[in-house]
Amino acid sequence: MTPPALRPLTVGEILDVSFTLYRRHFAPLAGVALVCSGIPVILNMFIQASGGMLQNLPLVLVYYIVFAALSSIATAATLFIVSDSYLGRTIDARAALRRAGPFIGRILICSMLTGLVIFVGFMFFVIPGIILLAGLILAIPAVVIEGKSAGAALARSWELTRGSRWRMLGLLLVLIILLYIPLAAIGGIIALFVPGAGSILSTP
C-alpha cells in the first residue's frame, strides 16, 4: 500500500483516509477489538447471571480494572495498526497487541490526567472543555508513538494541535468509529446467538 501524503488534511480527507485504512485493515482491527473485549464480556455475563452488581462487588471491581487495562491495550494496538499502515507497513493483531502491552500504565495515567483537565475545562462554561478536548486528543498517540511520559504527552498534544483543533474534533470522531464499530458488531453477534445477552456489553 502506498502511504498517504504526509501533509495537513481537512476533516473530509481525514475521514476518507481513515475509512480507507479501516477497510483495508479490518481483520487486525476487529481482532484487537475481539481479544480486548472478550474477557470483559465474559466477566459481565457472569456478573449478570450471578445476581448483578450488588451481589458481586469484588468481581465488579475486577471487571473495571480489566476493562480499563484492555481498553488501553486496544487503544495502543489500534494506533500501531493505523500508524504502520499509514507509513506503508502491515501489522497483524497479535503483533500489535504484543507491542501495546508495555504501554498500559502510561496510557491509564495519561487518560486520567487528560480526563481531569478536560473535566475542569467543562466546569468553566463548556467551551474551554471543548478546546481542551481538541487540544489533548493526541496525548495517547504521543505516549504510544513517541514514547512520551503522561505529562509530556499532554504538552506534546497541545503543541501539535495548535491551529488545527477543529480538525482534531473530526479526528476524534474517526478514532471513536475505528475503536467501537468492531465492538458494536461483536455485541450484535453475541446478542443474536447468546440467549439473554442483550446487556452483556453494558456496565455491570
Side-chain angles (χ1 to χ4, degrees):
M1 169 185 174
T2 302
L6 295 176
R7 61 176 178 81
L9 303 177
T10 66
V11 172
E13 288 173 325
I14 290 172
L15 290 170
D16 181 60
V17 170
S18 298
F19 279 111
T20 297
L21 293 172
Y22 185 78
R23 194 166 54 247
R24 292 181 178 178
H25 299 280
F26 177 80
L29 290 169
V32 166
L34 180 60
V35 170
C36 292
S37 65
I39 294 175
V41 165
I42 292 170
L43 281 173
N44 200 3
M45 290 178 66
F46 182 81
I47 290 168
Q48 297 297 334
S50 302
M53 180 180 67
L54 295 179
Q55 301 298 319
N56 298 277
L57 291 179
L59 193 55
V60 170
L61 178 61
V62 171
Y63 169 87
Y64 281 116
I65 293 172
V66 170
F67 180 82
L70 290 179
S71 294
S72 298
I73 292 176
T75 300
T78 299
L79 285 167
F80 282 129
I81 292 169
V82 172
S83 62
D84 278 23
S85 176
Y86 195 86
L87 295 174
R89 302 191 295 261
T90 59
I91 181 173
D92 61 21
R94 179 181 298 180
L97 289 167
R98 186 167 56 247
R99 287 172 60 184
F103 291 90
I104 295 175
R106 274 185 285 173
I107 291 175
L108 287 174
I109 295 171
C110 184
S111 296
M112 289 188 289
L113 285 175
T114 302
L116 177 61
V117 170
I118 292 172
F119 174 77
V120 172
F122 272 103
M123 295 294 290
F124 291 93
F125 306 107
V126 180
I127 299 300
I130 295 175
I131 295 171
L132 287 167
L133 175 63
L136 300 179
I137 189 175
L138 297 180
I140 291 179
V143 168
V144 176
I145 304 301
E146 299 187 6
K148 300 287 187 182
S149 66
L154 268 65
R156 177 62 169 158
S157 178
W158 192 255
E159 175 190 350
L160 288 172
T161 58
R162 186 175 290 114
S164 302
R165 291 187 181 128
W166 286 112
R167 280 205 300 269
M168 292 303 99
L169 289 176
L171 179 59
L172 176 61
L173 174 62
V174 172
L175 289 175
I176 290 172
I177 291 170
L178 288 174
L179 284 170
Y180 292 107
I181 279 184
L183 292 177
I186 292 166
I189 292 170
I190 292 173
L192 284 174
F193 294 101
V194 179
S199 63
I200 59 172
L201 292 178
S202 63
T203 55

